[in-house]
Amino acid sequence: MPMRRSHVQTTLNGEEIDFLCEPRQSLLEVLRDELGLTGTKEGCNNGNCGACSVILNGRVTNACCVLGVEAEGASVVTIEGVAEGDRLHPLQQAFLEEAALQCGVCTPGFIVAAKALLDAEPNPDEGRVRHWLAGNLCRCTGYDKIVRAVLKASDAQEVTA
Amino acid sequence: MTTIEKPAYKVIGTRPIRPDGVEKVTGKALYGADVHLPDLVHGAVLRSPHAHARIRSIDTSAAEALPSVLAVVTHADLPAVADTVIDTGEGVTRASDMSLNVLAGDKALYRGHAVAAVAATSAHEALAALDAIAVDYEPLPPVLSVRDAMRADAPLLDENRRTKQPDGALSDGPSNVAAHSRFEGGDLEAAFADADAVVEREFDTKMVHQGYIEPHNGTANWNPDGTLTVWTSTQGAFAVRAMLAELLRLPVSRIRVVPMEIGGGFGGKIGIYLEPLAALLSRECGRPVQLTMDRTDVFQATGPTSGGHMKGRLAVKDGVITAAEVSLAFEAGAFPGSPVMAGAMCMLSPYDVANFRVDAYDVVVNKPKVAAYRAPGAPNAAFCVEQLIDELAREANADPLAFRLRNSAREGTRMITGVAHPRIGHEETIGAARDSDHYQSPIEGPNRGRGVASGFWFNAGMQSSVVASVNPDGTVNLIEGSTDIGGTRASLAMQLAETLGIPYDDVRPTVADTDSVGHNDVTGGSRTAYASGQAVYEAGLDIQRQLVERAARLWECEAEDVSFVDGELRHASDADRRLTFAELAGKQMETGGPLQGRGSVVARSPGAAYGVHVVDVEVDPDTGKVDILRYTIAQDAGTAVHPAYVEGQMQGGVVQGIGWALNEEYYYNEDGRMENASFLDYRMPTSLDLPMIDTIIVEVPNPGHPYGVRGVGEVPIVPPLAAIANAIHDATGHRFTELPISPRRVVEELHHLR
């Protein structure tokens, strides 16, 4: 039988919202099925691939490994909250310019994870980028162009700042 | 067909942003699992816990009685299929095998084999309802390797299967060997007898998965009027439609397949798994039904590509490879259809070998039915042959690239099939690798080594069709039917822009559903930029012809007096009479009405692809870990339409090959249970495992394409397995003949030597 649903209040991409969800639903399910934010992808549903990366209270988190009810009082940033209106985030622009995506299904997770990195460390070197992104799997690109895009975005941020 | 001189290109060879890019970096692109429909319900699939079992009975009554359950289906709900084969464009499968694979019949043939499917009010409820289905299994001993399966006393997956032998006759007795094929030429025994040196080894590889990040999905809505709409992530919407029509016994015209964005395929998203189940469930419950796999299902029940056993013997005389005797036995999984023939036909194709005998065995085992995986069969076969060639080069005291160059196939060289190569670029590609900064730099330090290997892939042509509509403002909408997995919207739009002499941004491509565009074969076989590109070119020429006729009408002259140059209509003798593409596009109503160009092709000259790889490794003899220090790939792309996406294909293929070489395998226990069916345990390469992958694009234009395009997607996965094994041999002096060359294997084999 369907479970009784809980009421949750949270800040999602800067906006205070509330939603109902079953206690067994993951944050990933809530984002995708209850809130219609399908940019966050499911690749494995057990924390191995990073396709569902979101920033939860400032930390990169696999949304499949957190319950929706745990978002109570939290701040959540998803891929839908990375661009500012029509203005792409430097990471998004760099991914496009560097052809850092092929199928694109891992891309939201990579961009969200990389954003958390650049928010904390504006000037990572290649080794740091590779280490940080090791929790995000991409099967198309071999990572070369992804790493280049993140390094390029970090340079672009510097110029903007 | 003539090849246009390359320097004339304005758009081809540039690196514009892909048309679907912004949607994909902002999370707005809709993949198969993102489909939401009114009244949508969700399903789940019950799968066999046994690798091999007779299914005595299935009782679904308790599940059907649950209030949340809307429909339950089993194999009994599938109609009897015709005795026919379905050609999906990258492999041929009997309809009956496909039907038995999507829902098991009398037998479960691998762990994870679908047995029943449920639709319920939520995905959680559907999953819970599976527990209420009672299946009475009689477990049977599983057959888990080609060596076991080929034994005379092996348990049989299908008691009625006979071996199709090289002469076409069927074997007398039943067997797990579905087919034995043979290629022979020259005088093998004389060549071996006359050789300066002969090398001989056996090799073993394991099943590996394509590893796309997006799990399979399928959403179906069976309308009361008997029409069916299916939304899915597939490499070929028309292949899905054809397969569904056979399995469900529906006219093709009643099925509409909507290709959603696809999260990787690599060959593994050509076959169907969930789509027919979603269709049956939707028919039963009258609501749209969505099914998605979890990652364990993806590993256990889809993909993979074959593991197998290989035996090779090669001879050299005066620096020339004079003889090759190779036997390949590949696991097909539960139903026939391994890529062993492709492997057999590829492995010697970089070379000119006069005397050969190649045997290929397609062997069924109690593992998932294999699916295409990037140059199917070729990487395993190259793992065998390219290591033996490395040994021959050492025997001949030759540099491994110089040895390959000396023995290289070229235009006119016959492959083992007897077919002569057209213009190919293996020699140029070897040269590019040899001249690379990488190969010219010494490798130094203990436990370090360098390896090289060549790879060949046929590339496919097949059918494509497109329609291009010219808008009054001079922009063009391109309607195509090729799934875009890695940037083909861009490469097709670029070819149309080139043909029409208009800016890339003025072409807007859309991948349409099966009701909205003519037939297109799968995005597979590295065919899309080549074959759909040719269709796009034809559509561009069609538009050019019509523009010329319309200009002639406006100018009241003969069409012969009008030419189309650089995106402009010009009059032969009156320099004042000129119209830009956009100007004439704005006069459609007065010149004959809406202007559309069509292109339909059966592309028959794909032009083979060659790659030559150079890799440096460092082996830690204590931990067994192999680090890739440097990797360079040189590959003939014919003409690189969008060089960044060509590089991306090269880099991605290499990294899949690195995973295959060093880490990835289906690890089975003796009961036939895959023990590592998660990304964590299967362990594909991460960003931390790799250096940058250096690329050298060689361009030997394909004479069979108007812009010289060759397919690029598959061949980069062919050489890495052998190149890395050759590098590890260079570093350690030990030849690894089993994959993966994992830390455990390295430690075991190196320490055994000590």
Side-chain angles (χ1 to χ4, degrees):
Chain A
M1 291 301 290
M3 289 182 179
R4 188 187 175 85
R5 289 155 70 90
S6 303
H7 179 236
V8 178
Q9 284 187 298
T10 193
T11 304
L12 178 61
N13 295 328
E15 196 180 328
E16 285 180 29
I17 63 153
D18 63 346
F19 59 81
L20 296 175
C21 73
E22 295 181 12
R24 64 184 172 186
Q25 284 182 295
S26 68
L27 177 59
L28 177 61
E29 288 178 84
V30 169
L31 290 171
R32 292 179 52 82
D33 301 338
E34 305 298 329
L35 301 174
L37 296 180
T38 55
T40 306
K41 302 302 182 191
E42 177 183 322
C44 67
N45 210 27
N46 59 3
N48 295 168
C49 78
C52 65
S53 296
V54 298
I55 300 174
L56 178 65
N57 292 333
R59 293 183 59 180
V60 183
T61 305
N62 288 315
C64 70
C65 292
V66 179
L67 292 171
V69 292
E70 291 181 86
E72 173 68 37
S75 163
V76 181
V77 176
T78 70
I79 185 65
E80 288 87 352
V82 173
E84 285 177 34
D86 288 347
R87 221 174 84 233
L88 295 181
H89 187 277
L91 275 163
Q92 293 170 315
Q93 190 62 33
F95 268 62
L96 294 177
E97 290 170 1
E98 292 294 305
L101 60 147
Q102 287 180 30
C103 81
V105 84
C106 71
T107 307
F110 268 97
I111 288 175
V112 167
K115 178 183 183 318
L117 170 64
L118 297 189
D119 286 351
E121 303 173 35
N123 295 301
D125 62 13
E126 182 192 334
R128 181 65 178 146
V129 171
R130 287 188 179 276
H131 190 271
W132 184 274
L133 295 178
N136 291 75
L137 290 177
C138 169
R139 190 62 158 173
C140 294
T141 64
Y143 305 100
D144 182 303
K145 293 183 187 304
I146 292 176
V147 173
R148 288 180 200 276
V150 175
L151 293 171
K152 182 176 189 174
S154 115
D155 290 345
Q157 273 192 333
E158 210 169 328
V159 171
T160 316
Chain B
M1 191 177 294
T2 53
T3 297
I4 298 168
E5 286 296 316
K6 190 172 179 258
Y9 299 149
K10 291 193 170 124
V11 182
I12 287 172
T14 62
R15 300 176 179 234
I17 287 173
R18 59 194 284 172
D20 51 331
V22 170
E23 286 190 353
K24 284 180 176 164
V25 298
T26 55
K28 294 192 175 99
L30 294 176
Y31 293 72
D34 303 333
V35 172
H36 280 247
L37 299 169
D39 228 15
L40 182 69
V41 296
H42 294 267
V45 177
L46 182 67
R47 296 180 181 277
S48 170
H50 304 289
H52 195 191
R54 203 168 300 285
I55 297 174
R56 293 200 193 99
S57 65
I58 305 174
D59 183 355
T60 60
S61 56
E64 284 163 18
L66 293 171
S68 62
V69 170
L70 302 166
V72 184
V73 296
T74 66
H75 186 81
D77 295 291
L78 280 164
V81 295
D83 183 16
T84 182
V85 295
I86 305 174
D87 186 353
T88 57
E90 194 158 19
V92 174
T93 306
R94 280 174 62 197
S96 54
D97 286 348
M98 200 176 283
S99 179
L100 288 170
N101 194 37
V102 298
L103 280 168
D106 296 341
K107 268 178 134 186
L109 292 171
Y110 53 95
R111 186 185 159 89
H113 198 161
V115 172
V118 170
T121 47
S122 79
H124 286 283
E125 297 299 328
L127 211 52
L130 298 181
D131 291 340
I133 298 175
V135 184
D136 183 11
Y137 293 102
E138 176 194 340
L140 301 168
V143 185
L144 298 169
S145 72
V146 290
R147 295 195 208 217
D148 287 346
M150 292 171 84
R151 292 205 172 99
D153 60 347
L156 294 165
L157 274 72
D158 179 350
E159 291 78 6
N160 296 317
R161 180 168 292 114
R162 300 284 189 277
T163 305
K164 188 178 177 196
Q165 297 173 316
D167 61 4
L170 294 179
S171 62
D172 295 335
S175 170
N176 290 320
V177 180
H180 169 209
S181 308
R182 172 171 286 181
F183 300 91
E184 275 184 294
D187 186 342
L188 195 67
E189 302 318 320
F192 275 119
D194 192 37
D196 292 340
V198 174
V199 294
E200 182 172 3
R201 281 188 194 277
E202 297 189 26
F203 300 86
D204 287 279
T205 70
K206 297 285 176 48
M207 278 187 163
V208 294
H209 199 272
Q210 293 80 351
Y212 30 80
I213 305 301
E214 176 204 41
H216 291 261
N217 56 72
T219 305
N221 185 37
W222 198 304
N223 293 305
D225 64 0
T227 59
L228 171 66
T229 306
V230 172
W231 297 259
T232 185
S233 301
T234 175
Q235 291 176 240
F238 287 88
V240 170
R241 187 178 70 162
M243 289 184 275
L244 286 173
E246 285 293 341
L247 292 190
L248 302 173
R249 307 297 292 156
L250 282 175
V252 164
S253 62
R254 294 288 183 95
I255 304 171
R256 182 169 70 103
V257 177
V258 183
M260 305 302 295
E261 298 299 338
I262 182 173
F266 314 109
K269 285 182 185 157
I270 294 172
I272 55 175
Y273 303 97
L274 299 177
E275 296 88 341
L277 279 51
L280 291 174
L281 290 167
S282 176
R283 184 177 65 180
E284 193 167 318
C285 72
R287 293 168 70 170
V289 175
Q290 184 168 79
L291 286 167
T292 56
M293 286 193 193
D294 66 20
R295 183 52 53 179
T296 302
D297 293 347
V298 172
F299 275 115
Q300 292 194 337
T302 76
T305 193
S306 306
H309 178 67
M310 300 174 286
K311 196 157 47 175
R313 187 173 167 232
L314 266 63
V316 64
K317 167 90 173 169
D318 299 332
V320 174
I321 304 168
T322 50
E325 182 183 16
V326 187
S327 166
L328 310 174
F330 280 13
E331 299 166 327
F335 299 95
S338 79
V340 70
M341 284 289 277
M345 291 190 282
C346 284
M347 64 192 177
L348 296 172
S349 288
Y351 308 104
D352 185 355
V353 183
N355 308 291
F356 56 86
R357 180 160 63 232
V358 174
D359 287 290
Y361 300 88
D362 184 34
V363 185
V364 294
V365 292
N366 289 115
K367 297 180 180 179
K369 181 192 185 318
V370 299
Y373 179 21
R374 205 166 201 157
N380 334 26
F383 178 65
C384 165
V385 167
E386 290 288 322
Q387 285 203 74
L388 294 174
I389 286 178
D390 199 59
E391 292 193 75
L392 280 189
R394 285 169 191 270
E395 293 285 347
N397 288 317
D399 168 85
L401 287 181
F403 185 74
R404 284 172 170 80
L405 190 58
R406 169 89 192 270
N407 287 281
S408 178
R410 55 184 65 89
E411 186 170 357
T413 304
R414 292 196 182 276
M415 293 181 272
I416 64 169
T417 53
V419 176
H421 282 293
R423 180 76 173 93
I424 51 173
H426 187 222
E427 292 172 308
E428 289 83 349
T429 310
I430 296 172
R434 180 198 56 213
D435 299 341
S436 66
D437 176 64
H438 183 172
Y439 202 68
Q440 293 298 323
S441 308
I443 173 147
E444 289 160 347
N447 302 312
R448 293 184 169 193
R450 174 170 296 163
V452 303
S454 284
F456 162 90
W457 181 248
F458 306 96
N459 290 334
M462 306 195 285
Q463 303 175 87
S464 287
S465 70
V466 303
V467 176
S469 298
V470 179
N471 298 311
D473 62 358
T475 62
V476 179
N477 287 107
L478 171 62
I479 310 300
E480 44 131 338
S482 296
T483 301
D484 182 354
I485 314 187
T488 52
R489 283 184 182 90
S491 64
L492 296 181
M494 289 171 76
Q495 291 183 69
L496 185 58
E498 186 74 49
T499 310
L500 293 177
I502 61 177
Y504 162 78
D505 285 336
D506 285 356
V507 179
R508 192 70 202 168
T510 295
V511 180
D513 66 51
T514 54
D515 276 7
S516 308
V517 65
H519 181 92
N520 281 271
D521 282 318
V522 296
T523 292
S526 306
R527 63 176 289 280
T528 302
Y530 157 72
S532 297
Q534 200 167 315
V536 158
Y537 175 75
E538 296 290 340
L541 291 189
D542 189 16
I543 289 172
Q544 281 190 22
R545 274 190 296 271
Q546 297 179 58
L547 289 172
V548 165
E549 286 166 12
R550 289 171 187 232
R553 210 170 299 153
L554 281 177
W555 293 336
E556 296 176 337
C557 65
E558 297 300 317
E560 294 83 71
D561 295 329
V562 181
S563 58
F564 184 85
V565 183
D566 290 339
E568 264 194 357
L569 285 305
R570 294 181 190 167
H571 192 278
S573 54
D574 184 349
D576 291 339
R577 290 192 168 180
R578 284 188 170 205
L579 281 169
T580 64
F581 179 87
E583 284 167 347
L584 190 49
K587 300 178 188 301
Q588 291 185 51
M589 201 162 78
E590 53 268 47
T591 58
L595 176 48
Q596 283 194 325
R598 292 185 304 168
S600 283
V601 299
V602 184
R604 297 188 192 279
S605 311
Y610 284 89
V612 179
H613 296 203
V614 182
V615 57
D616 295 350
V617 301
E618 180 169 328
V619 182
D620 184 327
D622 296 322
T623 66
K625 185 164 186 291
V626 176
D627 282 323
I628 305 292
L629 301 176
R630 188 171 183 184
Y631 205 111
T632 299
I633 163 174
Q635 183 178 320
D636 178 15
T639 297
V641 178
H642 192 307
Y645 286 105
V646 171
E647 293 161 2
Q649 290 294 321
M650 292 159 73
Q651 292 162 334
V654 164
V655 169
Q656 284 184 316
I658 290 172
W660 194 342
L662 295 180
N663 231 45
E664 296 178 33
E665 65 177 306
Y666 270 46
Y667 193 91
Y668 280 95
N669 73 5
E670 60 190 18
D671 297 328
R673 177 197 174 103
M674 184 188 178
E675 299 273 40
N676 59 337
S678 72
F679 272 147
L680 187 67
D681 298 320
Y682 182 78
R683 190 57 175 84
M684 306 193 306
T686 72
S687 55
L688 197 52
D689 301 319
L690 301 159
M692 294 296 188
I693 308 295
D694 295 331
T695 56
I696 303 169
I697 299 175
V698 178
E699 294 187 300
V700 178
N702 171 16
H705 184 277
Y707 296 118
V709 174
R710 295 177 193 268
V712 296
E714 287 166 292
V715 78
I717 200 176
V718 180
L721 288 54
I724 291 167
N726 288 338
I728 295 172
H729 175 267
D730 191 44
T732 65
H734 181 70
R735 179 106 7 226
F736 286 85
T737 59
E738 275 186 65
L739 291 179
I741 311 172
S742 58
R744 190 195 68 176
R745 187 181 310 286
V746 170
V747 167
E748 283 178 0
E749 295 196 19
L750 288 186
H751 288 227
H752 180 69
L753 283 180
R754 283 173 186 173

